[in-house]
Amino acid sequence: MLNPLVPRPLLPRPLRIPLLVLGALALGALGLGGRAHADVRDGPPVVVALGDSAASGEGAGDYEPGTRGEGGDWCHRSPAAYVHRTTLGSGVDLACSGAGTAHVALGAAVHHTEGSQAARLAEVARRHRVTTVTVQVGANDDPDLSGTAVACIRAFLDPREPGCRHSLGPGWAGRLAAVAPRIEGAVRDVRGAMGSAGYTEADYTLVLLSYAAPGSEAMPAWHAVQGCPYSRPDAGWIRTEAFPRLTETIGAVAERTGARFLDLTRLAEGREACTGTLRDEWQRRLTVDPRSLVQGTLGAAGMRLFQESFHPTAAGHGAIAGCLSEFVRSAAPRAACLPARDGLAHPVPTPRGVAA
């Protein structure tokens, strides 16, 4: 028993912390709580694009300083890229021309002097209220769409070469099977990056996009001198087989990762390269850019001269932006962007496992 005449020692009073605060601290320590900076919750919405040239704005022109070859950065980010033209929020373009799945994913891979796009996404997400993330990647891995285009052109120019539909067609399924897990890994890393910034999957929309077929067999007789030096049969294979099968592969990845999927295969239908006039087409023809000679080095085999070829034009990016905006606001888990009579492209819901 304590003697009432002896003063009690001065003990610190127990710290009383509400249970809700303790819970929040615990969640934060585990990385499961709210966003890193609570003030971004009420900020303006931001859309972030990750991926390769199809997302960076290659082909749309007017590339941002610092991405035109200066210091070895050839990312070719354009202010006319679709991420800057949606009605979903301000755009942040992290995509880079020539990037592969390893450059989108978390890791040490560097492309055109730039590191992981997913890691930079996390930085953006901590500073801004990211509501939509788009991923468009895979073309520069096993499908090697640039190499595919070169094979089709070489076959047209050299009669000794078999058409690319013959040289590449038999192995196309194998290429797609090889790239699927790589795309899936990159998408899961994007999810992880957003989680590390304090986001749950319900906090933002993740959209995986496929690629728009650049050409068509519906070309005039003089198509080669107009900038499309490949045969009609090869163009038909690209339009009806190669790109639709790639689309099915990417769509299956979206389903496995819980991402929404936007099929762009037929986006430029009737407006492909060499199917109309330059003013109306949504895909560039073979394009030579002599500015690459003064803005940087030529690069391997002079490919920088032709980097813009067979990519969506600024008008094509505008069409993607409009379709993407409609799609994100809809309830459809997957859709295809199809051109309409109003001169725009609109999302049409599609069943799983089928290219539009």
Side-chain angles (χ1 to χ4, degrees):
M1 178 179 296
L2 290 175
N3 188 332
L5 297 179
V6 178
R8 297 183 182 182
L10 297 176
L11 297 175
R13 297 179 63 184
L15 184 61
R16 300 181 184 275
I17 301 177
L19 290 177
L20 287 176
V21 176
L22 286 173
L25 290 173
L27 287 174
L30 292 173
L32 301 174
R35 300 179 181 87
H37 300 292
D39 57 343
V40 306
R41 295 182 181 181
D42 298 322
V46 169
V47 183
V48 183
L50 290 80
D52 52 34
S53 56
S56 73
E58 184 73 80
D62 192 25
Y63 305 111
E64 297 172 3
T67 71
R68 301 175 299 190
E70 304 93 331
D73 191 325
W74 287 93
C75 284
H76 271 191
R77 296 193 185 98
S78 173
Y82 61 76
V83 70
H84 296 302
R85 301 169 68 183
T86 74
T87 57
L88 302 170
S90 300
V92 174
D93 195 353
L94 299 180
C96 182
S97 187
T101 52
H103 308 119
V104 172
L106 296 169
V110 175
H111 178 65
H112 290 334
T113 75
E114 298 187 357
S116 164
Q117 294 180 24
R120 283 180 285 141
L121 168 66
E123 296 173 3
V124 172
R126 292 186 182 100
R127 298 193 307 267
H128 305 280
R129 183 167 69 96
V130 174
T131 56
T132 305
V133 179
T134 67
V135 179
Q136 193 173 19
V137 73
N140 295 314
D141 286 69
D142 302 84
D144 186 17
L145 294 188
S146 295
T148 297
V150 170
C152 295
I153 293 172
R154 183 184 295 117
F156 181 80
L157 298 177
D158 187 349
R160 297 171 298 179
E161 292 278 345
C164 62
R165 66 192 184 281
H166 299 304
S167 61
L168 301 179
W172 196 247
R175 290 191 180 197
L176 299 183
V179 76
R182 297 176 185 176
I183 300 173
E184 184 168 343
V187 173
R188 294 195 185 282
D189 278 1
V190 169
R191 287 285 198 199
M194 290 296 287
S196 73
Y199 289 67
T200 69
E201 292 187 10
D203 290 329
Y204 65 99
T205 298
L206 176 60
V207 181
L208 194 55
L209 296 86
S210 68
Y211 297 87
S216 167
E217 63 275 27
M219 298 181 291
W222 52 91
H223 59 86
V225 297
Q226 289 188 326
C228 296
Y230 42 78
S231 72
R232 288 192 185 87
D234 281 349
W237 174 73
I238 290 288
R239 184 182 69 83
T240 63
E241 291 292 331
F243 272 71
R245 300 294 83 77
L246 176 57
T247 289
E248 291 174 3
T249 298
I250 298 173
V253 170
E255 185 174 347
R256 291 194 295 271
T257 57
R260 295 174 68 182
F261 177 59
L262 192 59
D263 176 1
L264 301 184
T265 311
R266 295 174 57 191
L267 171 87
E269 192 170 70
R271 295 175 181 266
E272 300 100 333
C274 296
T275 58
T277 65
L278 283 171
R279 182 183 61 185
D280 296 329
E281 290 171 357
W282 286 355
Q283 292 280 6
R284 273 190 182 265
R285 306 177 184 191
L286 185 65
T287 304
V288 179
D289 181 12
R291 291 174 297 180
S292 63
L293 293 170
V294 296
Q295 291 175 340
T297 59
L298 270 174
M303 287 300 291
R304 304 297 177 222
L305 284 169
F306 309 101
Q307 190 166 323
E308 295 180 304
S309 302
F310 307 117
H311 284 85
T313 63
H317 275 274
I320 296 172
C323 187
L324 175 63
S325 299
E326 287 186 48
F327 173 64
V328 170
R329 290 194 174 94
S330 75
R334 55 186 296 142
C337 289
L338 301 180
R341 292 182 178 180
D342 60 4
L344 305 175
H346 300 284
V348 176
T350 56
R352 294 177 178 177
V354 179

